Amino acid sequence: MSRPPVNPAGSPSSPDEPRNGPDRSDGGRSDTVPAAAKVVALVAAVEATALLTAAGWYGYELLSGSPVLSFWGAVFTLGLLLAFSAWLYAVAVFLYRGYRWTRAAALVAQLFVLTVGVPALTSGLVLAGLAMVVPAVTVIVLLFSRTVIDHASRTGSAPPAL
């Protein structure tokens, strides 16, 4: 497989000549992060922090001797809370950096939040439901905005073939 053609407008004709235009080593992307991508990354990080807090509280209750039906089931639930929290932190960091895969991961996370938030809202827990539904809907709308799509277009860079 051959390398893609070089854009003659963006590269110098000789090493001694200056480049035309801004120096962009990532395929034409600017170094600024759009506000919509910052909001999505911030919401994912806040949700990850909330899950980590819930995991800490759950672990404390588990170690303090709270009665549970299945100890190993509770340990599994704690592991899921910790894993999902770590996953959301990774989504927040890599979305801020502009990686493409994070849009799908953030969308899946927000759909999970909606599956908990909408029943909470309809069962009478209005504040808890709104605290979950409003950020989730905001993130879903922002994930499909042009600025976030353009920002999150970076792929992993593979080493050159030759």
Side-chain angles (χ1 to χ4, degrees):
M1 187 172 209
S2 64
R3 293 184 183 183
V6 177
N7 181 3
S11 64
S13 57
S14 73
D16 297 332
E17 292 180 22
R19 288 181 173 225
N20 295 334
D23 181 22
R24 294 183 179 165
S25 59
D26 56 356
R29 292 181 50 234
S30 68
D31 291 333
T32 61
V33 179
K38 288 179 183 178
V39 168
V40 173
L42 180 67
V43 168
V46 167
E47 289 172 347
T49 304
L51 280 175
L52 191 60
T53 303
W57 174 70
Y58 193 81
Y60 171 75
E61 290 294 322
L62 187 62
L63 292 176
S64 69
S66 293
V68 293
L69 292 176
S70 168
F71 176 75
W72 293 110
V75 169
F76 178 74
T77 303
L78 178 63
L80 283 178
L81 285 170
L82 291 171
F84 198 53
S85 176
W87 178 62
L88 271 177
Y89 276 126
V91 168
V93 168
F94 287 105
L95 185 112
Y96 186 82
R97 292 182 184 174
Y99 282 87
R100 180 178 296 172
W101 64 269
T102 57
R103 287 183 58 240
L107 178 63
V108 168
Q110 300 317 307
L111 292 176
F112 282 142
V113 170
L114 284 177
T115 61
V116 175
V118 170
L121 192 62
T122 58
S123 68
L125 300 170
V126 177
L127 289 178
L130 284 175
M132 289 183 264
V133 170
V134 171
V137 170
T138 303
V139 166
I140 289 172
V141 168
L142 290 177
L143 281 172
F144 292 100
S145 69
R146 175 57 50 197
T147 56
V148 173
I149 292 172
D150 289 342
H151 173 70
S153 62
R154 179 175 169 189
T155 58
S157 58
L162 295 175

